[in-house]
Amino acid sequence: MDRIRIRGGAPLNGTIPISGAKNAALPLMTASLLTDETLELTNVPRLADVSSLLRILSNFGVDHMIAGRRPGQTSETGQTVRLTARTIIDTCAPYELVSTMRASFWVIAPLLARFGQARVSLPGGCAIGTRPVDLLIMAMERLGATIEIDGGYVVAKAPRGLQGGEIVFPKVTVGGTHVALMAAVLANGTTVIENAAREPEVADLANCLVKMGARIEGGGTCRIVVEGVSRLHGASHEVLPDRIETGTYAIAVAMTGGDVTLTNTRPDLLQFALDTLGQVGVDISVTNEGIRVRRNGAGLEPVDVTTDPFPGFPTDLQAQFMALMTRAKGTSRITETIFENRFMHVQELARLGASIRLDGDSAFVDGVKRLRGAPVMATDLRASVSLVIAGLAAEGETMINRVYHLDRGFEALEAKLGRCGAEIERIKS
Ligand code: EPZ
């Protein structure tokens, strides 16, 4: 298994291009199952999760083509993926494929909507909590599907097609909203989704579905109304920038000091997190080139943060922000409200010298004068990158083991940081 070695202490200076969002690309790729025509997606990041989903879609019989690089494009220019689900040979997604990535469970909705049946293994994914699928099942049932659990598989049926209905989510769920949208676009009649997730990735999926001929109002708001249509057609859509990657590099610069411009991204995708960095003492400005992040020698102010659904502070930036607060001039309280088990980075950060006390859903982080390099282990995607951030500021060498988690969600991480002055290298196994 590959490892990443970091020598901490170097400030970051330069430009980091932000990739297309993993969490937008995955539902968009899934939406290709809704039509027999070609869905072209541009700005798709080169990530392990994208490859895993391509494998699952191929298994169903979806043709895919990855367009070659055009002159002037670098290895970090997002790729163009064309997906054509003309002939589907199988509507079953087996355990071996679904267990590695929770988002692959979402294929159940377009398969059910277009073919009237689907059999999909219960999902896996990052070990960050129990992560049930009861609300995704509820959404499909509200549209008239019958659902059974059979030997670890969810079997969904709607032989006469789905019927529009009212879906009221008792809590905000991104995956639940994606599933509800993809099921509703081909249902007969009107569907109203209440308490829908407002994450930009939901709005991106809704925008793409509209280009494919869907009739959707309110994508990206808490009330989405879908007027079902009988068929969708092909379209071309650019995946929106990755707000979590943007926030991660902004936090990395806050941690090391320096001056970095994040390009190909948008501040409105993570305004709350950028404002929080401002409170901590980081200089954030928006220029023609992108988001400029600067910190000179001044210390970091401690700040209390609570994760919340969009537009609140994202749970997917919680671990990275905690790494930053290990160096603040006092105690910060970080409260996690989305996933109950998303503190596994705490013990690894402690190996680098961080002082963190857990109390229920809160972590109390006492800033320390210095972190010291040590061997650490990546436990999930965002936890892994929090260790990279801590390692960039730690004295001496940090060796991060099990980096396959990072490859699921961060494209060309070492190259992007290395070009800005970080001493970081991958050691191939
Ligand atoms: C998406 O996961 C993201 N994944 C996650 O990013 C992200 O952390 C999460 O949304 C929250 O923003 C992708 O987009 C691929 P949820 P999702 O359904 O959709 C509970 C990353 O690192 N819930 O919004 O699975 C659930 O347990 C990943 O990129 C139910 O109770 O998250 C959680 O407490 C990790 N029943 C809350 O809702 C359900 O049926 C929100 O989960 C579904 C969810």
Side-chain angles (χ1 to χ4, degrees):
M1 262 182 265
D2 291 1
R3 294 176 294 164
I4 284 186
R5 177 160 56 202
I6 301 174
R7 267 202 167 273
L12 295 172
N13 286 293
T15 300
I16 298 182
I18 298 302
S19 300
K22 165 183 87 80
N23 288 351
L26 298 176
L28 288 167
M29 289 165 65
T30 304
S32 69
L33 289 165
L34 286 164
T35 174
D36 61 357
E37 295 182 15
T38 301
L39 176 63
E40 178 183 82
L41 298 173
T42 58
N43 200 31
V44 177
R46 292 173 180 76
L47 295 171
D49 274 9
V50 167
S51 308
S52 301
L53 185 56
L54 279 176
R55 260 197 307 282
I56 292 171
L57 295 175
S58 303
N59 218 44
F60 295 142
V62 177
D63 270 347
H64 73 264
M65 208 181 90
I66 300 181
R69 209 170 288 158
R70 297 200 187 94
Q73 291 187 330
T74 65
S75 60
E76 284 140 50
T77 311
Q79 49 191 351
T80 296
V81 177
R82 294 194 187 94
L83 298 153
T84 313
R86 186 159 299 129
T87 323
I88 293 301
I89 49 177
D90 196 356
T91 53
C92 175
Y95 174 77
E96 305 80 75
L97 296 176
V98 179
S99 57
T100 58
M101 183 182 44
R102 179 178 165 88
S104 55
F105 182 78
W106 303 342
V107 297
I108 196 166
L111 290 174
L112 174 68
R114 187 166 149 214
F115 303 101
Q117 58 174 20
R119 180 181 164 85
V120 178
S121 168
L122 283 161
C126 281
I128 56 175
T130 48
R131 305 189 76 185
V133 288
D134 56 321
L135 299 177
L136 283 65
I137 289 175
M138 177 278 283
M140 292 183 286
E141 283 177 338
R142 295 292 301 154
L143 302 188
T146 56
I147 310 273
E148 278 172 29
I149 311 286
D150 174 24
Y153 281 76
V154 179
V155 183
K157 288 188 187 145
R160 281 191 293 279
L162 293 168
Q163 293 295 322
E166 196 186 23
I167 301 169
V168 183
F169 285 114
K171 72 196 286 192
V172 175
T173 154
V174 174
T177 310
H178 286 322
V179 158
L181 261 177
M182 287 190 278
V185 285
L186 290 180
N188 193 8
T190 307
T191 297
V192 180
I193 307 170
E194 300 278 5
N195 199 23
R198 288 181 285 165
E199 270 63 7
E201 294 76 18
V202 171
D204 206 36
L205 174 65
N207 290 340
C208 177
L209 291 170
V210 167
K211 288 182 192 163
M212 294 167 74
R215 295 175 62 192
I216 301 172
E217 271 176 30
T221 73
C222 55
R223 184 172 195 269
I224 306 178
V225 181
V226 184
E227 204 64 63
V229 295
S230 56
R231 68 182 296 272
L232 295 182
H233 51 73
S236 179
H237 183 80
E238 180 179 342
V239 177
L240 97 167
D242 196 318
R243 63 195 166 99
I244 303 304
E245 193 196 19
T246 309
T248 298
Y249 289 126
I251 292 172
V253 180
M255 186 69 159
T256 60
D259 184 348
V260 170
T261 298
L262 306 170
T263 59
N264 308 341
T265 186
R266 290 181 3 221
D268 59 296
L269 298 174
L270 72 164
Q271 200 56 57
F272 199 108
L274 294 177
D275 290 347
T276 309
L277 284 174
Q279 284 173 40
V280 165
V282 183
D283 189 355
I284 308 272
S285 54
V286 178
T287 70
N288 284 342
E289 282 81 48
I291 304 173
R292 185 171 176 196
V293 186
R294 276 177 296 174
R295 186 168 79 79
N296 55 25
L300 297 162
E301 297 299 326
V303 71
D304 293 349
V305 155
T306 300
T307 63
D308 263 321
F310 191 85
F313 192 96
T315 172
D316 290 347
L317 284 177
Q318 180 256 108
Q320 298 89 314
F321 193 76
M322 190 181 297
L324 180 66
M325 288 299 91
T326 64
R327 296 293 312 282
K329 296 182 290 186
T331 302
S332 310
R333 176 182 183 155
I334 298 179
T335 304
E336 171 59 55
T337 68
I338 312 289
F339 294 111
E340 78 275 17
N341 192 25
R342 208 169 196 183
F343 282 134
M344 279 173 326
H345 40 284
V346 167
Q347 62 194 38
E348 297 303 302
L349 288 171
R351 296 167 62 77
L352 298 171
S355 169
I356 305 170
R357 183 170 46 84
L358 285 179
D359 184 4
D361 62 1
S362 289
F364 293 85
V365 187
D366 294 324
V368 292
K369 286 230 155 43
R370 64 180 60 84
L371 298 174
R372 289 211 176 82
V376 288
M377 192 178 71
T379 49
D380 74 64
L381 169 54
R382 310 304 175 185
S384 319
V385 84
S386 77
L387 300 174
V388 171
I389 290 171
L392 289 173
E395 289 173 2
E397 181 178 297
T398 296
M399 184 71 83
I400 303 174
N401 297 293
R402 288 205 195 170
V403 298
Y404 58 85
H405 288 294
L406 279 175
D407 296 333
R408 293 186 52 195
F410 289 93
E411 184 175 25
L413 176 100
E414 308 95 271
K416 289 184 183 186
L417 287 170
R419 272 202 308 270
C420 289
E423 282 190 53
I424 179 168
E425 65 173 328
R426 177 178 292 250
I427 302 170
K428 294 262 180 207
S429 55

